Amino acid sequence: MPLWQELPLLLVVAFCLAVLIRSFLLQAFFIPSGSMENTLLVGDRVLVNKIVYDVRDPKRGEVVVFRGPEAWAPQPVDDGNTSVLSKVSRTMGDLVGISRPGAKDFIKRVIAVGGDRISCCDDQGRVMVNGKGLDEPYIFDNSPLDVPPVPGECRSRQFAEVVVPPGQIFVMGDHRGVSQDARCQGPVPVENVVGRAFVVVWPQDRWANLSVPDTFDGIPPPDGGGEGGGAGTPPPGQESPVPGKGDIVVTMPIFASVLFLARSRRGLPDRQRRLRP
């Protein structure tokens, strides 16, 4: 096949693969606000594993992307250029997962899961989950302790104890001073979670793995059992999950597809030379 015919075909195949990967496996997510600083900065792009929660529930400490429930106020979104060409570009970008997020798309850290008791604060000003105070080194600019809590506002660090309903998660931003999260807007249904953000891929000097901090190890189970599902020690007889194992399983087919296409393209000129008279 001549190059002028092969190139459009490869572009179509690559676009279809990107749409399939974005829909079912991985999606690049643009960070639109400073609520997760300094773990994630405005303009960072993270890869989101979209199938990991098809086989298990979110765990404490994981960074997740989700659609805000009805009770959550939408975040401001800069629409930028509103021309027809710009709208078409945004639509194409959304198909392959490189567009900006919508007003109801959020990214936060899971602090508690279904059945957990969470409150703030203990005598050291820490968030408590099932009676254990969390040392959170990832927090940037924590909310003040001396501001009294006000319903519907996240300005204060303090909030009354909440028992997270089954099938929901309690999420908070790492930049507590500006984050609008479950403290004032309520827990998030697991069904609203798009996937787990597991790595920062852009810009290149910001590349980092979004692993679960050690502070979530050893959290006691909630009273009366509940769903649990934290990042602590697994029950007897079960293996401790390998960090990032599910993400590796998801990305392996993608890398294999890219390698196959690359090898096929490299071998094409030799075959063309052999077929020429």
Side-chain angles (χ1 to χ4, degrees), residues 119-133:
S119 62
C120 191
C121 306
D122 64 5
D123 55 2
Q124 299 181 44
R126 301 178 299 179
V127 171
M128 299 182 66
V129 178
N130 298 336
K132 178 187 176 183

Side-chain angles (χ1 to χ4, degrees), residues 1-45:
M1 184 182 296
L3 180 61
W4 66 270
Q5 292 179 342
E6 181 192 5
L7 186 58
L9 178 61
L10 288 175
L11 290 175
V12 170
V13 171
F15 179 79
C16 292
L17 280 175
V19 172
L20 289 174
I21 290 170
R22 183 261 188 210
S23 300
F24 301 106
L25 298 177
L26 292 176
Q27 181 177 350
F29 187 86
F30 177 89
I31 305 302
S33 71
S35 68
M36 283 294 292
E37 293 175 339
N38 282 325
T39 303
L40 300 172
L41 304 181
V42 176
D44 284 354
R45 288 190 183 272

Side-chain angles (χ1 to χ4, degrees), residues 17 47 56-57 94 129-131 135 170 176 186 188 210-211:
L17 280 175
L47 280 184
R56 67 169 177 85
D57 288 335
D94 184 62
V129 178
N130 298 336
D135 295 312
F170 195 97
R176 299 280 163 83
V188 175
L210 299 174
S211 58

